[in-house]
């Protein structure tokens, strides 16, 4: 679908990427059509009484694929939300879950409003009303459709959704599993808030660890010392920047909607966030140069550019001026199809959203499992592991006649906590998924890029699920 200026829509962008990958498969046309289209689109309006008076708001929930249930995907709170955008994001969720082997179909939701213009009480009323609209049509439930946070929403909103659902279904034992990204005290899992950013870091770390791939880009192996630019300092961008900094990368620029700050010697992420909280703007950070427009930061010379704000930030207009060697897509759909063609010709490595930002849904999956099992990860085995490791240490000490220093002993004998297990599962998922995609890319010289390889990986897995279900021969 093209708009009046001939620009292709976000959903069309996703579908073009799908088609490019589908050429490398031998799946029947009907099966590919079934995978590509949205299975169900719920568009609705609802009246709410906010402090501004009675308003009618527009909401959506799109369930893209039922090849696995429940379906899963965030809820976006944005005045720019549209049906096309929700469909595109729902489709990306399907492919994303397949790439990281999370057993869900894809979905996405949105409410067309800007929460920054409303009080907390108003946002709660809107969230609870939207939730009851989903319940009314069976678009919410632990085995049906499980939302999560997205742009403009967070743990607080997820807690309201869980509470509304539990009110409608009193006594339903698995009610908490109807939504993920909840606060830990409300059934969330430790590590979910930072999961997407941490997953981005693990993904970039794995990509940078391949010496041959880095050599082709004119870079050294490893993430340490790489110059990084991040656009968007929300949940995804902040955590991605912070973990990259902790991993030894140099954060040379950070961009928010009011502009960007640049310092080739490096910025301290937390200090920039503190400055923005105190002054109301990212600009005028001590020692840094101001860039008046956020978009200008994308054109700075750097090794890794992480767009982590919104879709369609790298277009055919600015792609020729992008000087990054690696683009790590933190946001969903930040690069248009036309822009990517330009970037690939320039030899830029694009690590696609549907893989790189999958850390959030991966840890959401862990949260869902925790809610269904009604037990904190590590609760059963932490002490057991500790005593087993302690016995090994004692045996080593006895045979060598030397004692471990107390601090070292504590580190070695520690049993795994929930956060340790979540991070371990996340790192394993991101690392093995990257290698699956890279192997597909390397296995066929005609596959042009990592995105096509990731789509190919997803299409094959979803096709297999449909064949196993007996729906397609
Ligand atoms: P968020 O609302 O927490 O943060 C977005 C940030 O981007 C905000 O700080 C906002 O001020 C900033 N921003 C808006 N317009 C900007 C512009 N033009 N330039 C620079 N900054 C701008 O949202 P989020 O959860 O971090 O999501 C960001 C992106 O990541 C979205 O595309 C979302 O779909 C995607 N994503 C989020 C998750 C998740 O777990 N939250 C998971 C996967 C993908």
């Amino acid at each position: 679908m093209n708009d009046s200026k001939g620009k292709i829509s976000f959903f069309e962008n996703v579908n073009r990427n799908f088609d490019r990958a589908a050429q490398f498969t031998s799946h029947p046309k009907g099966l590919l059509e079934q995978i590509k289209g949205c299975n169900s689109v719920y568009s609705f309006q609802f009246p709410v009484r906010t402090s501004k008076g009675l308003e009618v708001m527009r909401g959506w929930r799109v369930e893209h694929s039922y090849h696995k249930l429940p379906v899963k995907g965030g809820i976006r709170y944005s005045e720019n939300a549209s049906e096309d955008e929700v469909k595109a994001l729902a489709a990306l969720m399907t492919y994303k879950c397949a790439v990281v082997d999370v057993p869900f179909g894809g979905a996405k939701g949105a409410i067309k409003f800007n929460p920054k213009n409303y009080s907390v009480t108003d946002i709660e009323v809107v969230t609870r009303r939207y939730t009851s609209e989903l319940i009314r049509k069976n678009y919410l439930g632990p085995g049906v459709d499980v939302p999560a946070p997205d742009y403009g929403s967070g743990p607080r909103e997820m807690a309201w959704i869980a509470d509304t659902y539990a009110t409608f279904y009193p006594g339903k034992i698995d009610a908490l599993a109807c939504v993920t990204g909840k606060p830990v005290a409300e059934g969330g899992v430790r590590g979910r808030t930072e999961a997407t950013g941490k997953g981005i870091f693990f993904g970039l770390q794995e990509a940078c660890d391949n010496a041959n791939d880095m050599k082709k880009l004119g870079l050294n192996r490893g993430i340490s010392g790489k110059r990084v630019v991040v656009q968007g300092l929300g949940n995804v961008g902040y955590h991605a920047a912070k973990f990259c900094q902790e991993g030894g990368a140099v954060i040379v620029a950070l961009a928010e909607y009011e502009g960007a700050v640049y310092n080739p010697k490096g910025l301290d992420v937390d200090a920039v966030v503190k400055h923005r909280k105190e002054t109301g703007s990212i600009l005028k950070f001590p020692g840094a140069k101001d860039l008046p427009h956020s978009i200008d930061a994308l054109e700075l010379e750097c090794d890794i550019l992480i767009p982590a704000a919104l879709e369609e930030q790298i277009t055919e207009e600015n792609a020729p001026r992008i000087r990054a060697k690696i683009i790590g897509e933190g946001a969903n759909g930040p690069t248009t199809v036309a822009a990517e063609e330009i970037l690939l010709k320039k030899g830029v490595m694009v690590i696609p959203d549907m893989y790189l930002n999958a850390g959030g849904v991966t840890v959401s999956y862990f949260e869902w499992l925790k809610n269904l099992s009604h037990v904190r990860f590590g609760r059963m085995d932490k002490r057991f592991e500790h005593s087993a490791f302690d016995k090994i240490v004692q045996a080593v000490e006895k045979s060598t006649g030397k004692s471990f220093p107390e601090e070292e002993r504590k580190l070695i004998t520690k049993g795994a906590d929930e956060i340790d297990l979540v991070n371990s599962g996340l790192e394993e998922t991101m690392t093995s998924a990257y290698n699956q995609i890279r192997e597909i890319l390397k296995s066929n010289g005609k596959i042009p890029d990592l995105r096509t390889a990731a789509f190919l990986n997803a299409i094959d897995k979803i096709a297999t699920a449909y064949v196993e279900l007996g729906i397609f021969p």
Side-chain angles (χ1 to χ4, degrees), residues 22 38 49 104 142 153 156 162-163 229 281 329 345 433 448:
C38 291
R49 198 174 294 281
F104 296 140
S153 65
R156 180 185 66 182
D163 184 59
V229 172
S281 168
E329 293 186 332
K345 278 193 195 126

Side-chain angles (χ1 to χ4, degrees), residues 289-306:
K289 188 181 162 206
D290 283 349
L291 305 178
H293 305 292
S294 147
I295 203 92
D296 297 339
L298 304 182
E299 297 174 22
L300 289 167
E301 197 182 340
C302 64
D303 301 319
I304 305 176
L305 169 62
I306 307 178

